[in-house]
Amino acid sequence: MDSAMPQPKGRTLFEIENLRKDYPMGEVTVHALRGVSLQIYSGEFLVILGPSGSGKSTLLNIIGGLDAPSGGRVRFKGQNLTTYNDAQRTQYRRRNIGFVFQFYNLMPNLTAEENVELATEIAPDPMPAREALGLVGLQERRTHFPSQLSGGEQQRVAIARAVAKRPEVLLCDEPTGALDISTGKLVLRVLADINKRLGATLIIITHNAVIGEMADRVVRMADGTARDIIVHATRRSVEELQW
Amino acid sequence: MVIGVLHRKLLRTIFRSWGQSLAVIAVVVCGSACYITIYSAYLNLRLTRDTYYAQCHFADFEIMLERAPAAAVFKIAEIPGVRHARARIVRDVNVDIEGVDEPRIGRIVSMPNPRAPVLHDIVVTEGRYFEPGAQSEVIVNDRFAEANGLQLGDRIHVSMEDKKYPLRIVGLGLSAEYVYMIRNVQELVPSPERFGILWVPTDFAETALDMRAACNNILGDVDRPEELDLILDQAEKLLKPFGVFAKVKREDQISNRFLSDEIHGLGVSARIIPTLFLGVAALILLVLLNRMVRMERTQIGLLKAYGYSDWTVAFHYVEYALILAVAGCLGGFALGARLSVGILRLYVDFYQFPLLEFRVYPDVLTWAMGLSIGFAVAGATFAAVRAARIHPAESMRPEAPRFAHRIWLERFPRLWRAVGFTWKMILRNIGRNAFRASLNIFGVAVSTGLLIMGFFTMDAMYYGMEYQFNEVQREDVKISFQGERGRDALYDMQRFRHVRYAEPLLEYPFEVRAGWRKKDIIVIGLPQEAQLLKLMTFRRGEISIPERGVILGDYLAGELGVVPGDRILMKPLMGRVTREREVVVHGITEQFLGTTAYMDLHALSRILDEPFAMNAALLRIEKGAEQAVNRAFKDIAGIASVGFREKAYQSLLDTLAESMRIMNVTLLAFAGVIAFSIIYNVTSVSLAERQRELASLRVLGFTAGETGSILYYENFLLGVIGMAFGIPVGMFLSRLLVRAYESDLYRLPFHIDQTTYVISIALTTGFVALANWAVRRKIHGLDLVEVLKERE
Ligand SMILES: Nc1ncnc2c1ncn2[C@@H]1O[C@H](COP(=O)(O)OP(=O)(O)OP(=O)(O)O)[C@@H](O)[C@H]1O
Ligand SMILES: [Mg+2]
């Protein structure tokens, strides 16, 4: 692991300055983020590591426009996200962000393909739903309902759904958290592949430090701050990882 | 405290989902309030009626005749089974009141002087009874007095025979005989300023009406009401020579009929309406609690693992229903108390009691509480049993996913592909939650049906009145004579100033018979080509009067079981002629008021052995000449009454409009509460279950509106289906109502205006929209981060 000089992969996509998030809980206030500053570059693969409660999800949700910060700033391509209202954040998510969560959040009423179409229907320049399912290797299962798919398959559908609108950024909060090792690897490979082939910026939250080796950079969070950033000169492939 | 914690959880659940809780409570409030109001009204009216009738010695029968010696009453009293009989004189006369130009009709009713307890006695509310030997004293019905600004000591004039008599008002009074004070069935609702009762000493009535030692009305009471028919038959035989034209049993006495129909109707409503509401509340609770048990499966398992008994856990859910039921019922007490005052006001407008108390009985409250709780617990039982059955070990595993399956529409792939995913989700969701969808549809259907029924009553009344007062009756004035007249009477009428046109009319009481079925009715004789009274059939075609043969009202034809071409027997109930005649039924006319038959005037006269007889005339007069005409006619000897069609119509419309308004506002509120509560609750449950789905749509970049539209459209789709069912439901309820109110006196025409459908549907759509709007708050408030953090 070499911590060489920072080598940005592309231009700056996110500029995060002194980002704070407080949860006033009656008497006490929980400080989920206590001033995070970070640059995220276009097309990079970034892994966020950190103990439970360190503010990883909070950070990701703010970046993804799900949540508004209490202080500080997030700039996306020069636009200040922090001033967005709810409707603007919705538009921002619609255009730019693909989310993948630990739980797959598929519509139980829709087939795999229809779940993906859900995303393509509202995106300005989507890829065909079948192509997206092809990317995750599930073309043959497209007419199946979520309840007819395994957890890993459901997660891949979720990824296909996130990817289908060709988002600039793919945000994944513990995407392998609910999966066994080999399925987890499969999912990671799909994600890394998409990052490489489509050039989408990929941000993954994980508890598994090993996954960090696949990334261009690793941010370590602790206590609501970005403790340190590790930059990798080369990324490893999933097969090279030692679990 | 273990139970304490569970209680806290329960209360928190109730307060957190306050919208839903309130919606359930609202339905229970409506149900219990209706029960309390209607059932109390029922009990109060019944009790008041019974005490009042006893106090006034309400007669069991009344025989109306032309003229009989007063002594005839002794023969009646001697009929076995008859307890008392009373002879009296009853006659409608024109009343002159200082400063009032409009026609006023008073019904002279003779009373014994000195006072004696008699059948159909009166209650003197103000002033006094007649002084011994008094001649020109009168006790006036107090409503009539009030409406005409009359006070004790005032003088009124009545025209009888050829003379005008002054009468001094010595008392104001009421009688059980005129609780519902209308002159005849045609009037339908009381108008106390135009018609009132004048009680006079028998002496005066005999002298003024030239009825010395005679009577035209005999009352009686009997030991056993079931013998009434027999007794009346005997009485008729005895009184035959004196021209009996109507035998009225207590149950057919007009005022009693209206009052008792009302009481009976209340009794039925007291059962149906609360059941409907409480049933709806039970269904909503069923859905709510089922969902709660499903969501809390794991917690239930845990509680049981800790050692809570099945019973404790099950009761937890029953308790939820109990709390809402008790809260709703307490609200019902409050609302019920208010509505009771309202209903009292309504009854005071229509019925005259010396004292109409409105008590709310403790029993009724107890029952209301019992019923509310009973229904609520019934709704909760299913969920409670389910909770009791949950096995602690199993509960830790997630419930087997309910398979999302294809719905039938997907068998047509081309069609299905054209369906947007919003609709795909909606359609599959409906398929998945068929029960809830049905409940939604049910709510909308009931609400639409109730509205249609409510507006129908208005449509039917207006249609019926329009028909009666504009299509059938076309005269400006109707003059009724005392006794039959010849053709001269018509010429006399035509010669009057302001009279443009006159037509003769003969109204005569007959007994008509077809096989074993018989009925006492009025037969009306009309001239050929009558212009001022028209007979109509369905689809409002006029029918002409046949030269021979009779035209029956549709209800009468039904009662007699005859169709055109059949023969009926007609026997005059008064006059010289007593033989039966066979007559062919020539046609049937649609009739909403009364039960009558029509014939050619000459043919009817011939049955009475006269070449030409008339006892009324219909006039068309110059515009604006009403008062002049009234003044000219009311004092003429031999004229019994003068009636103006337009006035009667107008006052009927006014009275009905007011009571209809009250009824419809109430109904609207009820329908709204039902539709809103069901839709709001079902949608809230649906929303709670699909939070995650909806949140992930939001994450994908769908706006709150787009996300919500899945629920909104689903509701509107179910709403449309519900309304489609609601229309036949409304028609069915309306038909029931027609059936329930069908009687000799009046019928509701089954007529529903197009606008009723439109308005009902528009209103229900409004209710659906309102429920959607209420849910909207929840969709917009959905905390995405929070929802997605939860485990699936
Ligand atoms: N809605 C909330 N109200 C109060 N505190 C919150 C809320 N959401 C998060 N927190 C607090 O903010 C802090 C950071 O939470 P966050 O979910 O970002 O942690 P995390 O790093 O993602 O943890 P994990 O690895 O367990 O998912 C935690 O201390 C958490 O308790
Ligand atoms: Mg987290």
Side-chain angles (χ1 to χ4, degrees):
Chain A
M1 203 181 285
D2 50 0
S3 53
M5 42 190 254
Q7 211 162 51
K9 214 174 154 120
R11 65 207 153 74
T12 307
L13 196 59
F14 288 100
E15 264 177 282
I16 300 163
E17 283 169 44
N18 197 23
L19 195 65
R20 280 180 292 108
K21 177 75 182 177
D22 306 326
Y23 291 105
M25 306 282 289
E27 305 267 294
V28 292
T29 299
V30 178
H31 302 284
L33 295 178
R34 310 166 180 262
V36 175
S37 296
L38 181 68
Q39 312 255 313
I40 298 171
Y41 305 107
S42 181
E44 76 168 327
F45 180 171
L46 182 75
V47 160
I48 301 177
L49 284 174
S52 186
S54 56
K56 306 183 292 294
S57 300
T58 308
L59 175 62
L60 199 76
N61 289 342
I62 293 173
I63 293 175
L66 283 182
D67 213 350
S70 319
R73 229 175 340 178
V74 179
R75 253 198 264 267
F76 173 72
K77 291 183 171 175
Q79 296 269 1
N80 191 352
L81 284 192
T82 18
T83 60
Y84 280 11
N85 62 20
D86 199 45
Q88 288 170 313
R89 281 206 300 274
T90 302
Q91 287 309 315
Y92 163 72
R93 288 202 299 273
R94 187 184 277 220
R95 295 216 187 86
N96 310 299
I97 307 293
F99 268 107
V100 177
F101 294 99
Q102 177 176 2
F103 311 109
Y104 328 117
N105 296 318
L106 299 178
M107 305 291 133
N109 279 344
L110 297 180
T111 61
E113 186 174 8
E114 287 163 354
N115 261 292
V116 178
E117 280 170 359
L118 215 48
T120 60
E121 202 141 315
I122 56 165
D125 173 33
M127 66 174 79
R130 288 190 194 189
E131 190 184 323
L133 281 173
L135 281 178
V136 299
L138 282 177
Q139 218 163 0
E140 310 78 60
R141 310 294 298 273
R142 64 172 191 276
T143 60
H144 289 207
F145 284 100
S147 55
Q148 295 163 314
L149 299 171
S150 76
E153 286 161 348
Q154 287 187 49
Q155 188 61 302
R156 278 146 70 199
V157 175
I159 292 169
R161 185 173 70 180
V163 165
K165 58 180 175 185
R166 300 186 204 274
E168 208 145 337
V169 188
L170 202 52
L171 303 178
C172 312
D173 195 342
E174 301 184 42
T176 59
L179 304 173
D180 64 50
I181 292 177
S182 61
T183 318
K185 279 182 171 176
L186 187 62
V187 165
L188 285 171
R189 184 165 52 221
V190 168
L191 285 172
D193 202 37
I194 286 164
N195 168 251
K196 211 180 271 166
R197 294 232 309 250
L198 305 180
T201 307
L202 176 64
I203 305 177
I204 294 184
I205 290 180
T206 177
H207 281 133
N208 189 343
V210 182
I211 295 173
E213 294 175 26
M214 294 174 67
D216 296 313
R217 296 194 300 154
V218 175
V219 177
R220 277 182 189 284
M221 303 256 324
D223 237 356
T225 55
R227 243 331 118 70
D228 50 32
I229 300 175
I230 302 158
V231 182
H232 296 152
T234 49
R235 295 165 26 164
R236 298 200 181 189
S237 68
V238 192
E239 288 74 19
E240 294 171 275
L241 301 185
Q242 306 291 312
W243 301 75
Chain B
M1 257 306 288
V2 274
I3 295 294
V5 176
L6 274 187
H7 277 302
R8 232 174 298 147
K9 163 181 176 303
L10 196 62
L11 288 176
R12 230 169 261 163
T13 314
I14 290 174
F15 284 118
R16 187 126 28 91
S17 50
W18 58 269
Q20 279 163 273
S21 309
L22 274 185
V24 177
I25 290 173
V27 180
V28 179
V29 167
C30 286
S32 50
C34 283
Y35 178 78
I36 292 167
T37 311
I38 300 174
Y39 200 58
S40 307
Y42 170 75
L43 292 178
N44 281 310
L45 268 188
R46 206 178 55 173
L47 184 73
T48 311
R49 176 193 63 184
D50 293 348
T51 15
Y52 190 28
Y53 278 12
Q55 186 189 350
C56 286
H57 309 292
F58 201 94
D60 287 323
F61 65 84
E62 176 178 7
I63 299 170
M64 298 171 186
L65 9 82
E66 245 180 311
R67 180 198 182 98
V73 73
F74 299 117
K75 287 193 193 161
I76 302 300
E78 276 165 20
I79 297 173
V82 174
R83 268 196 282 179
H84 312 91
R86 171 188 170 203
R88 55 178 193 167
I89 299 166
V90 178
R91 172 76 56 84
D92 287 359
V93 299
N94 287 311
V95 182
D96 252 358
I97 298 168
E98 191 113 2
V100 177
D101 259 343
E102 318 254 288
R104 298 287 181 251
I105 292 175
R107 177 164 296 169
I108 293 283
V109 175
S110 67
M111 293 299 290
N113 191 18
R115 190 171 196 174
V118 287
L119 294 168
H120 279 349
D121 206 350
I122 62 171
V123 174
V124 177
T125 53
E126 237 178 276
R128 57 167 173 82
Y129 203 74
F130 315 117
E131 229 143 51
Q135 269 293 326
S136 52
E137 292 187 347
V138 64
I139 297 172
V140 177
N141 166 269
D142 66 356
R143 243 356 127 71
F144 179 74
E146 189 190 340
N148 287 293
L150 294 172
Q151 276 157 8
L152 290 179
D154 284 356
R155 229 167 259 281
I156 55 173
H157 290 82
V158 292
S159 316
M160 294 187 194
E161 300 301 298
D162 282 334
K163 295 207 201 86
K164 233 182 190 188
Y165 295 88
L167 288 170
R168 197 160 61 89
I169 300 173
V170 297
L172 301 182
L174 286 171
S175 159
E177 189 185 1
Y178 295 104
V179 172
Y180 194 76
M181 190 175 68
I182 55 176
R183 187 167 162 227
N184 53 40
V185 181
Q186 259 69 25
E187 302 215 320
L188 221 50
V189 294
S191 60
E193 83 277 2
R194 299 192 309 131
F195 173 72
I197 314 298
L198 310 174
W199 289 281
V200 297
T202 308
D203 263 3
F204 170 76
E206 288 190 352
T207 323
L209 290 166
D210 194 16
M211 298 272 282
R212 201 161 296 283
C215 68
N216 63 5
N217 190 292
I218 293 178
L219 302 173
D221 62 351
V222 299
D223 292 324
R224 265 173 289 160
E226 58 277 15
E227 290 174 351
L228 210 50
D229 282 317
L230 256 143
I231 290 171
L232 281 175
D233 280 346
Q234 280 174 272
E236 188 177 15
K237 262 184 214 121
L238 289 168
L239 296 171
K240 193 165 234 165
F242 313 120
V244 174
F245 59 84
K247 301 163 295 181
V248 182
K249 290 187 270 182
R250 182 198 270 230
E251 64 185 59
D252 295 324
Q253 200 265 350
I254 292 187
S255 162
N256 180 48
R257 182 61 176 267
F258 274 89
L259 177 59
S260 296
D261 276 357
E262 182 64 32
I263 292 175
H264 176 75
L266 282 175
V268 174
S269 310
R271 256 169 276 150
I272 294 176
I273 298 178
T275 309
L276 180 68
F277 278 106
L278 296 177
V280 164
L283 285 173
I284 297 177
L285 280 170
L286 178 71
V287 168
L288 278 185
L289 288 171
N290 269 347
R291 144 150 188 279
M292 214 188 284
V293 170
R294 213 174 318 124
M295 300 266 275
E296 296 179 351
R297 234 171 81 89
T298 322
Q299 285 128 285
I300 293 171
L302 268 174
L303 286 176
K304 288 190 180 177
Y306 289 152
Y308 284 86
S309 72
D310 288 353
W311 164 244
T312 318
V313 172
F315 184 71
H316 179 67
Y317 293 95
V318 173
E319 202 184 337
Y320 177 85
L322 272 179
I323 291 176
L324 295 190
V326 171
C329 194
L330 290 177
F333 288 176
L335 182 63
R338 295 213 49 178
L339 287 180
S340 295
V341 174
I343 209 170
L344 173 70
R345 216 174 290 144
L346 211 59
Y347 281 122
V348 166
D349 276 350
F350 284 95
Y351 301 99
Q352 301 182 26
F353 288 108
L355 178 85
L356 180 53
E357 245 192 295
F358 217 89
R359 262 187 293 162
V360 171
Y361 302 86
D363 302 19
V364 177
L365 296 185
T366 314
W367 267 102
M369 186 58 89
L371 285 171
S372 305
I373 289 176
F375 272 93
V377 169
T381 308
F382 190 73
V385 168
R386 229 161 108 154
R389 287 235 184 96
I390 288 176
H391 196 274
E394 269 171 32
S395 75
M396 303 299 159
R397 261 175 284 139
E399 201 170 11
R402 268 196 279 175
F403 236 91
H405 50 83
R406 278 159 225 285
I407 60 171
W408 60 269
L409 202 61
E410 294 177 56
R411 299 214 197 106
F412 312 97
R414 200 158 301 158
L415 199 65
W416 184 249
R417 242 174 280 135
V419 174
F421 68 90
T422 308
W423 282 104
K424 282 180 183 156
M425 290 213 277
I426 289 172
L427 292 173
R428 290 215 184 100
N429 190 55
I430 291 174
R432 196 167 58 160
N433 290 304
F435 178 76
R436 250 188 263 154
S438 326
L439 184 59
N440 219 330
I441 291 173
F442 169 81
V444 175
V446 167
S447 158
T448 315
L450 278 180
L451 287 174
I452 290 178
M453 185 191 76
F455 292 124
F456 154 77
T457 50
M458 216 159 32
D459 291 350
M461 294 224 188
Y462 286 130
Y463 179 89
M465 289 193 314
E466 225 274 320
Y467 177 84
Q468 180 69 31
F469 288 97
N470 284 336
E471 303 280 328
V472 175
Q473 287 178 236
R474 300 187 181 196
E475 84 281 3
D476 294 323
V477 189
K478 178 179 176 183
I479 309 286
S480 302
F481 301 113
Q482 278 154 17
E484 285 68 52
R485 302 294 181 84
R487 216 180 274 274
D488 293 349
L490 184 64
Y491 301 146
D492 285 347
M493 288 291 123
Q494 279 163 344
R495 273 202 301 273
F496 266 99
R497 258 174 60 125
H498 305 303
V499 173
R500 286 176 24 212
Y501 174 68
E503 259 175 29
L505 206 66
L506 177 59
E507 300 174 313
Y508 215 81
F510 275 86
E511 180 194 277
V512 292
R513 204 150 63 80
W516 50 269
R517 296 187 239 216
K518 61 177 185 177
K519 250 182 143 51
D520 292 355
I521 58 155
I522 300 286
V523 178
I524 297 177
L526 301 172
Q528 292 291 319
E529 314 281 312
Q531 294 301 306
L532 301 184
L533 182 67
K534 301 247 181 193
L535 305 187
M536 301 285 190
T537 60
F538 270 116
R539 291 183 240 299
R540 304 208 151 182
E542 282 177 31
I543 35 181
S544 54
I545 295 125
E547 302 222 353
R548 43 192 86 236
V550 62
I551 290 178
L552 302 181
D554 48 357
Y555 181 73
L556 177 61
E559 289 283 282
L560 292 175
V562 295
V563 294
D566 289 351
R567 278 155 201 283
I568 57 168
L569 293 166
M570 292 175 51
K571 187 171 74 168
L573 285 172
M574 55 184 210
R576 296 173 283 118
V577 181
T578 51
R579 67 173 180 278
E580 249 176 354
R581 281 286 184 92
E582 197 178 59
V583 190
V584 177
V585 176
H586 187 271
I588 296 199
T589 178
E590 207 181 5
Q591 197 179 34
F592 306 129
L593 279 179
T595 323
T596 39
Y598 301 88
M599 284 184 89
D600 175 73
L601 183 79
H602 292 90
L604 188 60
S605 299
R606 276 198 301 277
I607 293 184
L608 299 172
D609 268 354
E610 300 276 351
F612 180 99
M614 61 183 278
N615 55 14
L618 301 180
L619 310 181
R620 184 155 290 161
I621 59 170
E622 283 160 14
K623 274 215 169 60
E626 288 83 4
Q627 299 202 346
V629 168
N630 180 49
R631 264 196 300 270
F633 281 111
K634 70 181 174 183
D635 297 333
I636 293 180
I639 288 184
S641 67
V642 182
F644 291 84
R645 180 184 54 93
E646 194 58 38
K647 281 223 178 73
Y649 187 28
Q650 210 49 53
S651 95
L652 203 54
L653 283 180
D654 291 348
T655 318
L656 287 179
E658 172 62 11
S659 61
M660 284 287 152
R661 198 182 56 77
I662 296 175
M663 213 182 94
N664 280 309
V665 167
T666 317
L667 206 68
L668 194 70
F670 286 179
V673 166
I674 288 191
F676 179 83
S677 297
I678 290 187
I679 299 168
Y680 178 67
N681 268 301
V682 167
T683 313
S684 296
V685 165
S686 200
L687 177 66
E689 261 183 21
R690 292 158 74 185
Q691 268 194 21
R692 174 172 290 276
E693 262 177 77
L694 301 177
S696 12
L697 284 178
R698 297 279 283 117
V699 169
L700 276 177
F702 283 81
T703 62
E706 284 166 336
T707 314
S709 58
I710 295 175
L711 292 173
Y712 308 150
Y713 290 166
E714 179 172 334
N715 283 340
F716 279 118
L717 175 66
L718 295 176
V720 168
I721 300 173
M723 288 175 215
F725 279 111
I727 289 174
V729 167
M731 289 165 82
F732 174 76
L733 290 175
S734 304
R735 281 240 183 251
L736 276 188
L737 217 60
V738 169
R739 276 294 186 78
Y741 279 100
E742 193 170 70
S743 76
D744 283 11
L745 303 185
Y746 58 90
R747 276 89 43 199
L748 282 176
F750 182 72
H751 168 85
I752 304 179
D753 265 357
Q754 302 289 323
T755 47
T756 288
Y757 295 117
V758 175
I759 293 175
S760 303
I761 284 177
L763 283 171
T764 322
T765 310
F767 298 150
V768 177
L770 197 67
N772 277 342
W773 178 81
V775 173
R776 203 182 102 97
R777 187 181 52 88
K778 295 192 180 184
I779 292 171
H780 281 256
L782 206 61
D783 186 339
L784 306 182
V785 180
E786 208 55 38
V787 173
L788 295 170
K789 211 154 43 176
E790 281 163 28
R791 233 189 80 180
E792 220 159 304

